[in-house]
Amino acid sequence: MRIVVQRVSEAEVWIDGNCFSHINRGLLVLIGCRTGDTEESCHWLAEKTINLRIFEDADHKMNLSAMDISGEILVVSQFTLYADARKGRRPAFTDAMEPVEAERLYLKYVELLSNSGLQVRTGSFGAKMSVKLVNDGPVTILLEHDI
């Protein structure tokens, strides 16, 4: 399982011209599931997400986590995180998990984040979405849990 974590001052998901979800200061998380991923990946990545120290403290050092600042989290499914573009010009998605199981793991990850007490919003799994964000820093971290 692979996630891209972006520290944001705000982010939102738009579907069919309507704002579907919005967060203020916190994290925008793009999540992709790979064939063979399990709930173990969800647990590991959820814990890492809420405790990742990428927010600045009073000394401008990245010492604070989303938990420390009561940050909000917006989670968006993105199977293209498993695109393979090593050959040819069109990416292949053969490593991406089939949608039914990927949605189950996506929802499990969201549930685990929500259990932390933080405000968690989502996109709509499988929908065509527009994601707008203000990346604060910019800070973008790639996390992966290998199977």
Side-chain angles (χ1 to χ4, degrees), residues 8-142:
V8 298
S9 54
E10 64 179 316
E12 52 193 26
V13 170
W14 287 72
I15 301 173
D16 295 329
N18 298 306
C19 185
F20 183 82
S21 293
H22 176 269
I23 64 164
N24 291 307
R25 186 175 184 219
L27 303 173
L28 169 64
V29 178
L30 307 175
I31 179 171
C33 298
R34 175 180 50 190
T35 300
D37 282 338
T38 66
E39 286 189 17
E40 178 185 345
S41 297
C42 297
H43 287 272
W44 189 87
L45 286 169
E47 188 280 328
K48 188 67 88 169
T49 301
I50 61 175
N51 292 302
L52 190 63
R53 297 182 340 179
I54 60 172
F55 293 92
E56 294 177 352
D57 62 15
D59 295 323
H60 304 290
K61 297 203 185 284
M62 288 199 293
N63 271 331
L64 303 176
S65 68
M67 288 295 290
D68 295 327
I69 67 155
S70 298
E72 299 178 37
I73 302 175
L74 176 57
V75 183
V76 177
S77 61
Q78 190 166 2
F79 77 95
T80 59
L81 290 178
Y82 278 103
D84 182 355
R86 292 176 290 178
K87 295 181 184 175
R89 296 181 187 222
R90 182 175 35 197
F93 300 101
T94 54
D95 287 346
M97 182 176 277
E98 59 88 15
V100 172
E101 182 63 8
E103 183 175 19
R104 185 184 75 76
L105 292 180
Y106 163 80
L107 292 172
K108 181 63 177 180
Y109 174 76
V110 169
E111 174 190 342
L112 292 167
L113 293 176
S114 297
N115 289 345
S116 72
L118 295 176
Q119 183 71 252
V120 179
R121 303 264 192 253
T122 65
S124 179
F125 187 92
K128 182 171 173 58
M129 298 172 272
S130 295
V131 179
K132 298 179 180 182
L133 67 137
V134 178
N135 192 320
D136 179 23
V139 174
T140 301
I141 308 288
L142 175 66

